[in-house]
Amino acid sequence: MITAIRKAVAERLASCDGVVALRRRNGGVVPYLFQKGDDLAELEIAPKYPVMALVSRLHKAFPAIRLAVVARGCDERAYIEMA
């Protein structure tokens, strides 16, 4: 599954300014803005991380930026409702 997600993110990078997802760093998982495919090997899926809260803040601060997001289905539905 993670391989398919990494492939989808790599494809999406061609059509947007970046992809917000989670990345393994220093033994933990943190949000990260992927802007090139080189670092996709560190992309992680963590089901309990509130990535949509970060996306909401980014959207407010930079309304013109085009971002894709790797998020759980329930987070995606919540963000659509907020938007």
Side-chain angles (χ1 to χ4, degrees):
M1 180 168 115
I2 191 74
T3 302
I5 292 170
R6 286 179 180 140
K7 181 180 177 192
V9 169
E11 291 170 1
R12 183 61 62 182
L13 283 172
S15 63
C16 64
D17 297 317
V19 175
V20 177
L22 299 176
R23 181 179 186 183
R24 175 111 4 229
R25 280 295 230 207
N26 301 323
V29 176
V30 297
Y32 184 75
L33 179 61
F34 290 91
Q35 293 181 297
K36 58 186 180 205
D38 296 347
D39 46 7
L40 287 179
E42 296 178 7
L43 185 134
E44 287 288 331
I45 303 298
K48 302 285 183 185
Y49 199 95
V51 102
M52 294 312 291
L54 171 66
V55 172
S56 181
R57 288 193 307 268
L58 284 170
H59 179 70
K60 287 177 185 173
F62 306 100
I65 196 168
R66 289 191 47 164
L67 295 175
V69 181
V70 176
R72 299 180 303 164
C74 57
D75 289 334
E76 178 186 11
R77 288 187 296 277
Y79 189 73
I80 290 170
E81 290 296 318
M82 285 187 335

